[in-house]
Amino acid sequence: MVLKHRKSALCALIVRFAKRIDDHRWILEHKEVIDFESRRHLAMMMFPDVKEGYDGLHEMLIDRSNLLEESFQYIARAEPETLHAGLFMEFKNEEASGPGVLREWFFLVCLFLFNPEIALFLACPNDRRRFFPNPGKLAQVFMNAFPLTAVCAP
């Protein structure tokens, strides 16, 4: 109740002094004592720091004509720790780079993976927003991607 009477002071303190290492979740549950700006500030503090440089990111240079195959090779060879740091994406023979190119790459990969003609994934009959792997197709793609396993498989 006291905090409601001191709402503006509390909000100013939050915006000015809240740190990422502090636990802010408890105050977000009491929306009546903080304003939008304070809630936004606290919510943004929950996100990890944005890196300005590209150091430590897993770099991929992909040829659009061979998008899926090269993407798979880059991801398969990557150490898990480098993938946690993020991705830096460029297309061969193109100057653009950065988050927009990465977004386009994700979009193109998803278009292929969820293409109904290829049918790697099937829509859930109860919820059309959910998909599950198509067992026959994924096995076929796996065997094509790893020919040695096709020879060694029983």
Side-chain angles (χ1 to χ4, degrees), residues 75-149:
I75 299 296
R77 282 189 252 136
E79 294 293 324
E81 296 80 30
T82 62
L83 294 177
H84 287 289
L87 297 173
F88 177 77
M89 174 70 220
E90 284 185 312
F91 288 111
K92 287 181 183 172
N93 303 319
E94 296 183 25
E95 292 184 22
S97 65
V101 176
L102 182 61
R103 189 174 318 124
E104 181 184 2
W105 173 77
F106 273 117
F107 175 74
L108 294 172
V109 168
C110 287
L111 276 179
F112 177 82
L113 291 176
F114 293 99
N115 183 344
E117 293 175 10
I118 298 172
L120 291 177
F121 294 91
L122 302 173
C124 179
N126 301 333
D127 185 355
R128 303 298 287 176
R129 295 173 299 170
R130 295 182 182 187
F131 293 85
F132 59 91
N134 182 346
K137 281 290 190 171
L138 285 180
Q140 180 183 359
V141 169
F142 185 77
M143 295 300 185
N144 290 339
F146 299 101
L148 183 59
T149 58

Side-chain angles (χ1 to χ4, degrees), residues 2 26 44-45 58 67 74 83 91 96 105 113 126 151:
V2 173
W26 68 271
M44 293 303 286
M45 299 287 266
H58 183 70
L67 180 96
Y74 271 103
L83 294 177
F91 288 111
W105 173 77
L113 291 176
N126 301 333
V151 173

Side-chain angles (χ1 to χ4, degrees), residues 29-90:
E29 294 174 8
H30 303 284
K31 294 179 182 177
E32 68 278 359
V33 297
I34 56 176
D35 61 7
F36 170 78
E37 185 64 28
S38 300
R39 284 192 303 272
R40 185 181 69 79
H41 183 74
L42 292 174
M44 293 303 286
M45 299 287 266
M46 291 181 187
F47 290 110
D49 280 330
V50 175
K51 296 178 184 175
E52 290 298 323
Y54 296 114
D55 297 338
L57 299 178
H58 183 70
E59 297 181 22
M60 298 191 309
L61 180 62
I62 304 291
D63 185 357
R64 283 183 185 269
S65 64
N66 207 11
L67 180 96
L68 199 67
E69 205 171 306
E70 287 187 13
S71 298
F72 180 77
Q73 289 173 359
Y74 271 103
I75 299 296
R77 282 189 252 136
E79 294 293 324
E81 296 80 30
T82 62
L83 294 177
H84 287 289
L87 297 173
F88 177 77
M89 174 70 220
E90 284 185 312

